[in-house]
Amino acid sequence: MAAKEIRTRFAPSPTGYMHIGNLRTALYTYLIAKHEDGKFILRIEDTDQERYVEDALAVIYKTLEMTGLKHDEGPDIGGPVGPYVQSERKGLYLDYAKKLVEKGEAYYCFCSKERLDMLKTNSETLKRPFKYDKHCLHLSKEEIEEKLNAGVPYVIRQNNPTDGSTTFDDVIYGRISVDNSELDDMILIKSDGYPTYNFANVVDDHLMGITHVVRGNEYLSSAPKYNRLYEAFDWDVPTYVHCPPIMKDAHSKLSKRNGDASFQDLIEKGYLKEAVLNYIALLGWNPEGTNEILSLQDMIKLFDYTHINKSPAVFDPVKLKWMNGEYVRKLSLDEFHSLALPYYKGVITKENIDLKKISELIQTRIEIFSDIPEMVDFFNELPDYDIEMYTHKKMKTNPEVSLESLTKSLPVIENIEDWNLESIENTIMNYIKDLGVKNGIVLWPLRTALSGKKFTPGGAFEIADLIGKEESIKRIKIGIEKLQK
Ligand code: GLU
């Protein structure tokens, strides 16, 4: 018999941004399916949404497309078990809830807001988690009919036992048992007729043939209740994979609310999507071996969800930056250049500066693209700088030595006719050789005068070549003037 096809789903709520944790869930969900040649499904969970946010949907589609997590079924491409947007499935949940009512596994509840508020206040006073007191469970059939006919607003609640226990298995957390006395009779259908997430996720996962349910561990405490729903319907229980949280530090979770970066934020900051995806994959999972640089194809091959780490992963911005640098260096010069172009805009305004040459110089030196403006601005405009920058112990230079050195180099440089990297380098190196001094005595002051910076991509020759003869001479003269003061 052929093995059952693996079907997983990514089920985001349209919130308007893709949190790093969400993207990791999407990635793991995708990898579980693709590792086994299965199907990856996109379902939009919008029943708790006050309003339908069109832009929020666009963020979800865009992120999946950018990262290459291509879904096989979903709202935009359809599929055999649609619709794939929960609000468009609204009609079907009530019938399923009614089936549970018939079986005694759920019941109508007509309690007013005032009564529920009172119960909540009571549990707060007693410092106990809120639990509905099953008040409406005991209504007779006639009483229920009467209220329904009179149009009294109602919800439908799950009817959980108060004794015994419920046990289920999670791939990451193992076997979990909870006392049924802890299970609240959660709402399945709300008074507006919409299902709660708690109900819809079970019905939809079943109807969509989902074999592996992957989500954040914040849902772990509700999982016993979901498990009871599957059992009440006599449906196969899926394999649960609850992923541990991603932490910002030892105490707090990474969260958009705390101002932590979303996927879009990272892209806007100049991270490469491939690097972000690669880094995120490692937040909770490691391939065997030491190579951590993995393409999506590598991940599909290597991913083993049974090896997801139980302990929370800590988001390490330094490692992400390092990894991004690795990806930046793997780009071809043309690819790098076209990605770098927007970052030169507004910083390099002089037209004679060859941006491609700058790209060549900086590709190995940046980790993220937003490092660029600060690294290259001096090509355009000499910054104001302190003459202390001419002091360098190892190069044996100080302002005095530098003044002499620059004054002597100036006519040599003025005499270069054919201004290109090779001729600049040859002329100056020959001049240094003739003088019989250490390179640094000439080159340190020169680079300082040309850039006004302590660290620069490229040395004196590259900078001179890039900014041109006229500008180079102008900057050397400014240096001499500064040093004479
Ligand atoms: N809509 C839920 C969320 O965005 C998904 C939970 C699940 O995957 O079951 O958190």
Side-chain angles (χ1 to χ4, degrees):
M1 205 178 77
K4 196 172 163 192
E5 182 183 56
I6 303 287
R7 289 173 63 82
T8 64
R9 89 301 190 271
F10 177 48
S13 305
T15 55
Y17 50 84
M18 185 69 78
H19 183 255
I20 292 300
N22 278 352
L23 184 57
R24 186 193 59 175
T25 301
L27 174 62
Y28 286 1
T29 308
Y30 173 86
L31 293 175
I32 290 175
K34 294 299 148 184
H35 183 72
E36 299 285 346
D37 249 338
K39 295 274 189 305
F40 173 61
I41 291 140
L42 175 64
R43 178 173 80 221
I44 302 298
E45 303 205 318
D46 60 346
T47 59
D48 281 338
Q49 222 56 38
E50 307 271 276
R51 62 206 151 88
Y52 196 77
V53 199
E54 203 58 48
D55 291 350
L57 263 192
V59 170
I60 295 167
Y61 288 132
K62 183 144 185 249
T63 310
L64 292 181
E65 196 197 313
M66 280 178 77
T67 49
L69 306 181
K70 203 168 164 314
H71 49 287
D72 301 294
E73 300 168 24
D76 51 341
I77 49 174
V81 293
Y84 293 86
V85 178
Q86 271 178 344
S87 58
E88 291 170 21
R89 302 167 68 80
K90 185 181 170 193
L92 63 85
Y93 303 103
L94 185 59
D95 286 342
Y96 280 98
K98 283 182 181 164
K99 279 187 199 164
L100 292 181
V101 173
E102 277 163 32
K103 290 183 177 201
E105 297 281 351
Y107 57 93
Y108 289 92
C109 169
F110 300 92
C111 283
S112 63
K113 187 175 174 301
E114 290 70 31
R115 182 166 191 281
L116 293 172
D117 284 347
M118 201 188 69
L119 289 181
K120 278 180 193 148
T121 315
N122 274 354
S123 17
E124 272 163 30
T125 318
L126 296 170
K127 294 203 162 58
R128 287 205 199 123
F130 170 74
K131 252 187 86 179
Y132 179 66
D133 62 354
K134 289 186 184 281
H135 180 74
C136 288
L137 178 62
H138 309 291
L139 293 174
S140 68
K141 253 198 150 107
E142 293 70 35
E143 283 171 306
I144 295 170
E145 274 312 305
E146 205 182 296
K147 285 182 193 293
L148 289 177
N149 288 337
V152 181
Y154 67 92
V155 300
I156 297 181
R157 290 180 182 274
Q158 185 179 21
N159 182 20
N160 283 315
T162 49
D163 51 10
S165 63
T166 299
T167 301
F168 69 99
D169 291 303
D170 181 83
V171 171
I172 300 172
Y173 291 88
R175 175 152 294 191
I176 295 180
S177 277
V178 294
D179 286 341
N180 290 336
S181 61
E182 287 174 24
L183 305 180
D184 174 41
D185 284 355
M186 64 180 183
I187 294 175
L188 307 178
I189 301 287
K190 296 184 276 186
S191 56
D192 61 5
Y194 273 98
T196 54
Y197 160 77
N198 289 328
F199 189 48
N201 91 85
V202 171
V203 173
D204 287 343
D205 285 342
H206 169 72
L207 294 179
M208 294 182 172
I210 302 303
T211 57
H212 294 62
V213 168
V214 188
R215 62 184 156 219
N217 80 339
E218 64 271 27
Y219 292 99
L220 198 58
S221 59
S222 302
K225 292 183 274 193
Y226 305 154
N227 213 67
R228 297 200 65 84
L229 289 174
Y230 283 103
E231 283 168 1
F233 280 120
D234 215 6
W235 291 342
D236 283 346
V237 176
T239 302
Y240 294 120
V241 185
H242 286 94
C243 301
I246 301 175
M247 307 296 286
K248 180 197 192 93
D249 51 42
H251 309 289
S252 46
K253 275 198 201 182
L254 201 67
S255 91
K256 178 78 182 160
R257 228 178 308 146
N258 294 338
D260 296 323
S262 67
F263 175 72
Q264 297 99 293
D265 293 334
L266 291 176
I267 297 304
E268 275 160 31
K269 278 191 195 165
Y271 286 89
L272 291 169
K273 54 187 193 294
E274 296 83 358
V276 176
L277 199 67
N278 188 163
Y279 178 67
I280 285 179
L282 303 178
L283 290 170
W285 168 73
N286 259 293
E288 285 176 15
T290 48
N291 181 23
E292 289 192 312
I293 304 294
L294 304 168
S295 68
L296 189 56
Q297 285 312 312
D298 298 332
M299 293 182 218
I300 290 175
K301 218 164 107 205
L302 298 170
F303 193 70
D304 178 354
Y305 68 93
T306 62
H307 287 174
I308 295 175
N309 250 322
K310 194 167 159 180
S311 45
V314 179
F315 185 87
D316 177 358
V318 177
K319 182 161 178 187
L320 171 61
K321 253 188 142 185
W322 163 81
M323 186 164 274
N324 201 68
E326 295 292 303
Y327 275 83
V328 166
R329 278 179 275 294
K330 285 203 303 188
L331 296 171
S332 71
L333 179 60
D334 283 339
E335 283 169 332
F336 177 82
H337 186 57
S338 66
L339 290 168
L341 274 177
Y343 294 87
Y344 298 139
K345 244 201 172 145
V347 181
I348 309 282
T349 51
K350 291 195 176 146
E351 279 178 6
N352 63 330
I353 298 180
D354 185 339
L355 296 178
K356 190 85 178 255
K357 278 189 186 166
I358 297 189
S359 287
E360 228 170 301
L361 277 183
I362 65 171
Q363 184 174 1
T364 54
R365 289 177 170 86
I366 65 154
E367 284 187 318
I368 53 174
F369 284 88
S370 53
D371 290 341
I372 292 180
E374 206 252 338
M375 187 179 274
V376 304
D377 53 3
F378 74 92
F379 286 118
N380 200 62
E381 200 83 56
L382 180 70
D384 191 22
Y385 61 93
D386 196 286
I387 57 163
E388 264 321 303
M389 267 170 44
Y390 283 100
T391 303
H392 194 294
K393 244 186 167 165
K394 236 175 92 198
M395 304 287 175
K396 303 205 178 346
T397 64
N398 58 27
E400 245 185 304
V401 174
S402 298
L403 176 59
E404 192 191 333
S405 171
L406 283 181
T407 315
K408 282 193 193 156
S409 312
L410 182 61
V412 179
I413 290 167
E414 279 173 328
N415 270 336
I416 301 175
E417 283 194 353
D418 205 4
W419 194 261
N420 60 54
L421 184 60
E422 214 189 331
S423 61
I424 301 167
E425 180 164 356
N426 286 342
T427 312
I428 297 177
M429 288 314 286
N430 284 337
Y431 159 71
I432 292 174
K433 221 163 121 200
D434 289 348
L435 271 182
V437 294
K438 284 225 150 92
N439 293 355
I441 290 201
V442 173
L443 296 183
W444 182 266
L446 195 55
R447 197 185 57 95
T448 306
L450 290 173
S451 67
K453 284 212 171 183
K454 232 180 177 141
F455 303 103
T456 54
F461 311 137
E462 283 89 358
I463 299 169
D465 174 40
L466 262 158
I467 62 179
K469 184 171 178 179
E470 199 184 318
E471 179 72 12
S472 297
I473 291 170
K474 190 174 126 199
R475 291 186 184 192
I476 295 168
K477 286 183 176 164
I478 291 173
I480 294 175
E481 237 172 77
K482 267 182 180 289
L483 290 163
Q484 280 169 338
K485 275 189 191 155

